[in-house]
Amino acid sequence: MPSSSGKSLLVLALPGIGDCLIASDSWAWLRQHLPDWRFDALTMFPSATDFLRSTGIFDTVTEFNFLSHSATESFRFLTPLRGRYEATLLPFPSNGIKYNLATAWIRAPVRVGYDYAHDSRRNLSLLNNVRIPEEGAASNRTHNFRAAAALLKVVTGKDWVPPSGHPFRPAHKPPSVLTFGFHTYSSTFKNMHRKCWPPEHFAELIKSLKSRFPSSHIKVFAGPSDQENLNLITRLVFPLPMETVSERDFTHTMSHIRNCSVFISNDSGLAHAAGALNIPTVVLYGPTDAKRLYDWDNPHRIVRQSLPCQPCFFYSSRPLSCHASLDYACIRQLPVGEVLRAVEELIPEVSGAR
């Protein structure tokens, strides 16, 4: 559908579902203030595609997996987009050369990106002509709103103040039966599975919760890369009953998260999905930075150790690695008792808990 103003924006929503969830409030806010513009999104992962199509923010959402195509094929795909957009917008974080080359190739007059603290020159951030500086104390959500406000200033000539809080959030209606949801793994992309709590610890936590709350229900969410973890947890908790939720599409997954009383997760896209749905959530952090990543206002607890090397992950195109050579002790040695205590602290906030 053409816009009434004849102007259009392309959001290159190429990172994973977690980053898209965090950025989505800023895109909804941007859409409110540019109602006559056409909004398109380009995605790379099916879960992000499903989510963005469900939001109503975008006129079209197109998926193209650059990781499975050659550079020649990727540029050939992008070429018809040249000259179609007044502006392109990258989510935060997207510190990779492929993102910046894509915006340069599309050649929108306004290209909004970021100046990162690490590898910004190496990844050619200068190809974007409106850049938001990475600020260590600011959350990812804040960076995304700053980018949206900068775009608004360029196209309207006015200064804009982003909203506080989370104005686009639903209320949570907990299920009648106390239900614990678990996401025990993460994407293997850029070595991100190494930020995960061991499956043996998740199994011990499940057994402890079933012992304390015998009538509770257990849901374990699993995608294609989670099967080995899931199989081990299933063996370790046997014969306790446990429902497995296949992450076959994002709408299906969200409907099951919505029916959880408390959600327990590694730092993953589903942890942010629970936050977006206002589900009481316990999130386990090791090498990544909870202060920057988890900026939801749902009832939640962050469980992490306080090792001097934490957090060590920074935004770049490089894969996650343990810079202290401790084999990710920050997450592997996180005590089960601390996570259990965090879950129990949230239960009084869940009406209908048994």
Side-chain angles (χ1 to χ4, degrees):
M1 178 187 300
S3 69
S4 57
S5 69
K7 296 181 178 179
S8 53
L9 166 71
L10 177 65
V11 175
L12 286 91
L14 301 177
I17 180 61
D19 293 323
C20 288
L21 277 159
I22 292 170
S24 62
D25 273 1
S26 68
W27 300 335
W29 178 71
L30 189 60
R31 182 83 198 228
Q32 283 187 343
H33 295 291
L34 295 175
D36 297 330
W37 281 52
R38 177 185 176 86
F39 273 51
D40 293 340
L42 176 60
T43 63
M44 195 160 62
F45 299 104
S47 57
T49 304
D50 291 342
F51 166 62
L52 293 182
R53 285 175 177 166
S54 74
T55 63
I57 298 171
F58 296 98
D59 295 287
T60 64
V61 179
T62 303
E63 183 181 316
F64 183 83
N65 191 339
F66 291 90
L67 298 176
S68 62
H69 291 82
S70 68
T72 300
E73 291 170 328
S74 297
F75 284 120
R76 186 180 298 129
F77 168 80
L78 293 171
T79 296
L81 304 182
R82 294 173 119 177
R84 285 177 50 182
Y85 296 97
E86 277 65 41
T88 54
L89 173 64
L90 288 168
F92 185 92
S94 48
N95 189 12
I97 192 170
K98 59 183 176 294
Y99 305 116
N100 300 318
L101 286 173
T103 60
W105 192 257
I106 293 168
R107 290 184 179 175
V110 180
R111 302 181 299 280
V112 183
Y114 306 89
D115 275 327
Y116 291 90
H118 300 273
D119 292 350
S120 203
R121 284 189 184 179
R122 179 173 176 260
N123 289 323
L124 301 181
S125 294
L126 288 169
L127 292 173
N128 300 301
N129 55 14
V130 178
R131 296 187 300 280
I132 311 305
E134 179 182 0
E135 183 185 324
S139 69
N140 290 9
R141 179 177 183 274
T142 296
H143 283 93
N144 280 296
F145 268 105
R146 287 175 179 173
L151 175 58
L152 282 171
K153 183 172 184 178
V154 170
V155 301
T156 68
K158 303 176 185 177
D159 289 316
W160 295 81
V161 178
S164 59
H166 294 265
F168 306 100
R169 302 280 308 291
H172 174 228
K173 183 180 180 181
S176 57
V177 175
L178 181 62
T179 301
F180 298 108
F182 292 85
H183 190 222
T184 67
Y185 207 54
S186 184
S187 167
T188 56
F189 181 60
K190 289 177 63 175
N191 218 19
M192 284 297 163
H193 61 290
R194 299 305 305 272
K195 65 181 178 180
C196 295
W197 208 37
E200 295 86 352
H201 291 1
F202 273 109
E204 186 178 342
L205 178 63
I206 289 170
K207 290 190 285 187
S208 296
L209 287 171
K210 284 296 288 183
S211 174
R212 285 165 171 74
F213 306 98
S215 62
S216 64
H217 184 61
I218 303 293
K219 290 177 182 263
V220 178
F221 292 73
S225 62
D226 305 352
Q227 290 306 309
E228 186 176 347
N229 246 32
L230 174 65
N231 292 340
L232 176 57
I233 291 170
T234 302
R235 290 198 304 271
L236 290 174
V237 304
F238 183 81
L240 293 177
M242 188 177 79
E243 179 186 1
T244 300
V245 179
S246 173
E247 298 170 35
R248 65 172 183 259
D249 64 66
F250 192 70
T251 302
H252 169 81
T253 302
M254 290 288 272
S255 68
H256 278 274
I257 294 176
R258 192 175 283 110
N259 288 320
C260 291
S261 309
V262 180
F263 197 75
I264 304 102
S265 178
N266 297 299
D267 170 26
S268 71
L270 294 196
H272 295 293
L277 291 171
N278 212 19
I279 310 296
T281 305
V282 175
V283 194
L284 316 180
Y285 276 90
T288 51
D289 190 348
K291 291 180 181 178
R292 299 190 70 175
L293 285 162
Y294 206 84
D295 192 22
W296 302 103
D297 57 3
N298 62 315
H300 69 272
R301 297 291 185 275
I302 301 297
V303 187
R304 65 184 296 274
Q305 299 194 80
S306 297
L307 301 185
C309 54
Q310 285 179 272
C312 64
F313 178 70
F314 56 82
Y315 295 124
S316 76
S317 54
R318 305 176 190 185
L320 176 66
S321 62
C322 181
H323 299 286
S325 301
L326 296 175
D327 193 25
Y328 304 94
C330 56
I331 189 70
R332 288 191 306 102
Q333 297 178 11
L334 194 63
V336 175
E338 290 189 20
V339 182
L340 176 62
R341 183 161 51 251
V343 175
E344 290 180 326
E345 287 175 359
L346 281 178
I347 287 176
E349 301 190 41
V350 180
S351 62
R354 310 204 189 290

